Amino acid sequence: MPFNHYSTRPPQASFDSATISDLVARLNERIAGEVRFDTGSRALYATDGSNYRQVPIGVVIPVTTEDVIDTVALCHAHRLPVLSRGGGTSLAGQCCNTAVVMDMSKYLNKIVSLDPESKTAEVQPGVVLDWLRDEAEKHHLTFAPDPSTHNHNTLGGMIGNNSCGVHSIMGGRTEDNVLEMDVLTYDGVRMNVGPTSDEELKTIIAAGGRRGEIYRGLRELRDRYAKLIRERMPKIPRRVSGFNLDELLPENGFNVARALVGTEGTCVTVLGAKLRLVDSPPERVLMVLGYPSVYEAGDHILEIMAFNPTALEGIDQGLVDDMRREGMHEKELQLLPEGHGWLLVEFGGWSSGEALEKAESALKQLRKHANPPHVGICKDKNQVESIWKIRKSGLGATSHVPGQPLTWPGWEDAAVSPDRVGAYLRDFQQLLNRYEYRGDLYGHFGQGCIHVRINFDLDSKEGVAKYRGFTEDAAKLVVEHRGSLSGEHGDGQSRGELLNIMYGEEMVEAFRRFKRIWDPDGKMNPGKVVDPYPRDAYLRVKGMTGPDTGVATFFKYPADQGNFTQATLRCVGVGECRKITSGTMCPSYMATREEKHSTRGRAHMLFEMLKGDIIKDGWKSRSVREALDLCLSCKACKHECPVNVDMATYKAEFLHHYYQQRRRPLNAYLFGHIDRVARWGMSWPGLFNFATQNSLLSRLGKTFLGVAPQRKLPELADQSLSGWFRKRNASKNAVSEVVLWPDTFNNYFSPEVGKAAVDILEAAGYRINLPPDNICCGRPLYEYGFLETAGKRLKNILASLNPAVRRGVPIVGLEPACVSVFRDELRELLPGDDDARRLSENVYTLNEFLHKHARHFPIPKLPKRALAHMHCNHKAVLGTESDRALLDAMDLECTILDAGCCGMAGSFGYHKEKYQVSLKAGERILLPAVRQSDNETLIISDGYSCREQIKQQTGRQALHTSQVIRMALNR
């Protein structure tokens, strides 16, 4: 129902189905964009990075600015609310509402212009911050605000929330860096807004019309509340709460653009913006200061700020302790100087000498203290990056601490004046203690912004009441320190109710009037900031966190107390899986730019499946199946996601249940049981290869099996590795024993890899055994949900390998995907099994084994150029330290690509409907890099599927590391 009376909270709306159906029909007629009002899409956008969940009316993905204008016009005609959304990372509930959601990130993401002379840029709202920063850095410029989500958040979202970040010290909040904006009102008025002179203001008002009415209203609002605005708005660097009414004051140039920054989509839709860029010194040095506690660290902020750093961040002992509990950044933590509270102080310069000189000058002054802090100065870029990882991992390190309750946002970014940081932290810790809450303290101390996630109970009635009491007391505390409820993330629903504590009712009424001027119908992201929904309404975890919320599963989820529901809550919505320029996570999102094909989107869909009020068919849901379909099971999310979401495991779990009463497609049996197919084929390899390689038979077979016609099916070797091994004469010089694992791919399709490994291990003095039975690890089974079969395989493997493992005989594997089964799935399925633990701890890749155990073996030299691509499971589960060390030891001039996933991913790239995604993943970096390398450059990849993708798309034959080492041995 519509609402216009802003002195009461708007009720949760419900809308007539006929109205919505008519809207959908008209949208499909008028816009070029994508119109998605299906159940799955609505579930997908029901939450953001906050504690809240509101199912949208529908989702529109606009392709053009005209699509946005038409969408808003049609929503206005149908009296339906609208919500603009960028990266969906908001922590206060701004990006979820019962509204028509417009996702600006997929198409409206162009940098319109960048002028280094005027230091300005014009952008569309969906531009990712790092895309702008990367372009600006070519001219030693940057956009100063840089939240931790900088590699995937959008500038439209930053404008909505008035975002800040680590380097806001260099140029202020987003508000301070917006010059002009192109905006659209709910009733269809498009205008360019910015600073407005008195003459311009008079002209606009005199011209009349809706624009004149708006500007007249703004002038009257300013005149009425000017004294109050000057009195009540805190003069601190990070005042983000409330609307920026101070920008309308004469001394601030009646800047309408900056007044609209931070309104969180409640007043206008942002169509574009002109932004200010600032100088970005290219060289950085990091000074780390260790204090007895985080409170003493907070006491010295003004002193450090006097040295003009480019960043000043703080972390406490609790954050470090939690990282150690989780085994995070163990090497990086060793770089911290002595202390229990730390300041990370970055100095920038136009040369490394200038940056270092600034740091040393600051250090000289600090040493004059009677009790100077412990100091470490890092000028090595790798060390600097390592220490920044500690600070950037704050959210991941504090949300799912082993043995501790889950933590949540809700009071995560309050800000005070930098000179009050120490005092505020002491008082805030006392408040936490009084409520028996815990939370690690860290944040942008240089500007007084404190981050913390707190173990609120947002499920029980008592827990929610306690949360409400705490946040009210916390608001009063921050006001006592003359601070702001929010210093970065905005008010949304989390803090909207508390604005009267910070500003008083009269100022809150001014905020209401400001919104009403722009949005008299109350349809722009209703229920946020002013007249908000209660901060305990629409909590997404309600009914989802108790001990009785678990469902029967095949995997055991030991990191989530055996509770699959809790596993789906592991995703906190930060959206790191939406990055597209580096890393591996998430290859299908990189290829499609679709929220449902991101790790976050899939986790949200699984959560909604368990919630059950929108997705009602549980494990049988086709919407969830569709979202999981393009997951490549690369496991990069388990490594790169800040909270280690393991989507490959969740996908296998879902498919196990999904197919319990459905028949799998035929190709699932072919690829899932490839070991059986290959073993059968080895009885008549010539016949098998004729059937798969003959053009006519192959074409018919691929059509029948749903294989992409562009793909060449793999060819069996003439002889398997195990067959060859049984007939050969073993080395007589062995002094130690090792078991070589003959995985399906290197046993039947590329035994030359295994033969090379045998030569290397024997040269290193090892007697080699193969398992007595040809048992597949079962890796392909997980991709199709054959979990019962996979579980039986692992138990058979344990029985087969136990005698060797209990004698301490190492197991060496050649295929990273298979080795990762023993390190990962084995423990997930049998977490309390001692034999499983022993095997997991005693299995190695060849490179790991040579690096860690065969230290007596001199690594042979091979002075050649090489291009190396690491298998996804290798990077995510096994780690690549040994591989990098081995390649260095060989004197290879080797470039290790940050290429993400090759796109083949086992059988993924063979499927007809997945071929294009497979190709896009490979063409992002890997395949072009291979094509650009000369024929003398070795192409190295240990993954069989990676080598196949390279071979089929470039014609180049990639080598396993074992083949490269043997090549060096035979020089």
Side-chain angles (χ1 to χ4, degrees), residues 812-831:
V812 175
L814 301 172
E815 173 59 39
C818 299
V819 176
S820 74
V821 169
F822 300 131
R823 295 273 187 88
D824 191 8
E825 279 84 0
L826 180 63
R827 289 190 165 190
E828 288 285 338
L829 287 169
L830 303 169

Side-chain angles (χ1 to χ4, degrees), residues 625-807:
R625 174 72 177 86
E626 183 180 333
L628 292 168
D629 194 44
L630 294 186
C631 172
L632 287 85
S633 300
C634 66
K635 284 191 175 285
C637 48
K638 188 166 186 175
H639 174 64
E640 296 179 24
C641 170
V643 287
N644 309 119
V645 169
D646 184 3
M647 191 50 62
T649 297
Y650 304 171
K651 174 186 176 181
E653 183 75 58
F654 174 83
L655 293 178
H656 166 72
H657 295 272
Y658 182 80
Y659 283 118
Q660 282 187 336
Q661 296 177 11
R662 282 190 176 96
R663 185 173 179 82
R664 291 174 174 83
L666 187 59
N667 56 30
Y669 296 93
L670 169 67
F671 291 122
H673 294 277
I674 188 65
D675 62 308
R676 296 178 181 176
V677 174
R679 194 181 312 135
W680 170 81
M682 284 305 298
S683 302
W684 307 277
L687 179 62
F688 181 93
N689 288 337
F690 176 77
T692 59
Q693 307 307 309
N694 176 271
S695 59
L696 177 60
L697 293 177
S698 175
R699 186 165 62 251
L700 291 172
K702 285 187 282 190
T703 300
F704 182 64
L705 293 169
V707 172
Q710 302 91 330
R711 287 295 181 193
K712 183 177 185 294
L713 292 171
E715 192 171 356
L716 284 174
D718 294 335
Q719 185 183 34
S720 67
L721 172 64
S722 53
W724 168 83
F725 187 83
R726 285 193 297 268
K727 296 178 181 178
R728 67 184 296 276
N729 294 319
S731 170
K732 306 297 183 182
N733 301 319
V735 294
S736 300
E737 183 182 359
V738 67
V739 172
L740 181 65
W741 179 260
D743 63 89
T744 294
F745 308 104
N746 291 312
N747 191 19
Y748 299 119
F749 296 101
S750 57
E752 62 276 7
V753 169
K755 293 176 184 179
V758 168
D759 290 347
I760 294 162
L761 291 170
E762 288 191 340
Y766 288 91
R767 183 176 74 258
I768 303 167
N769 289 318
L770 266 62
D773 306 305
N774 288 331
I775 307 173
C776 175
C777 72
R779 162 59 68 199
L781 295 170
Y782 298 95
E783 311 311 312
Y784 301 95
F786 289 109
L787 295 190
E788 291 180 355
T789 304
K792 291 175 183 176
R793 292 275 180 90
L794 287 178
K795 290 177 180 177
N796 289 339
I797 288 169
L798 284 177
S800 178
L801 294 181
N802 260 342
V805 171
R806 289 181 176 179
R807 294 199 315 273

Side-chain angles (χ1 to χ4, degrees), residues 4 7 36 168 179 186 199 215 244 290 326 506 606 643 666 697 749 777 800 826 867 948:
N4 290 305
S7 63
R36 303 177 180 178
S168 291
L179 301 175
Y186 181 69
E199 283 302 311
Y215 274 71
N244 301 322
E326 297 190 65
E506 190 177 1
L606 287 165
V643 287
L666 187 59
L697 293 177
F749 296 101
C777 72
S800 178
L826 180 63
L867 197 68
E948 275 296 299

Side-chain angles (χ1 to χ4, degrees), residues 873-926:
N873 291 172
H874 201 151
K875 290 178 284 189
V877 178
L878 310 177
T880 61
E881 180 182 347
S882 298
D883 307 87
R884 293 170 186 271
L886 187 141
L887 293 171
D888 286 343
M890 291 182 69
D891 284 350
L892 282 166
E893 186 185 328
C894 186
T895 299
I896 300 178
L897 295 171
D898 179 14
C901 181
C902 74
M904 187 67 93
S907 63
F908 180 92
Y910 285 95
H911 290 264
K912 181 179 179 180
E913 69 277 10
K914 300 172 183 176
Y915 175 76
Q916 289 302 324
V917 171
S918 167
L919 205 58
K920 284 183 179 180
E923 292 290 354
R924 194 174 69 85
I925 292 175
L926 172 62

Side-chain angles (χ1 to χ4, degrees), residues 86 123-127 154-161 270:
V123 299
Q124 292 182 318
V127 172
T154 66
L155 285 156
M158 291 181 68
I159 290 168
N161 290 356
V270 176

Side-chain angles (χ1 to χ4, degrees), residues 421-436:
V421 169
Y424 172 72
L425 288 175
R426 289 180 178 90
D427 289 346
F428 183 68
Q429 185 62 59
Q430 289 181 6
L431 182 64
L432 286 172
N433 295 343
R434 179 152 60 90
Y435 274 86
E436 299 181 323

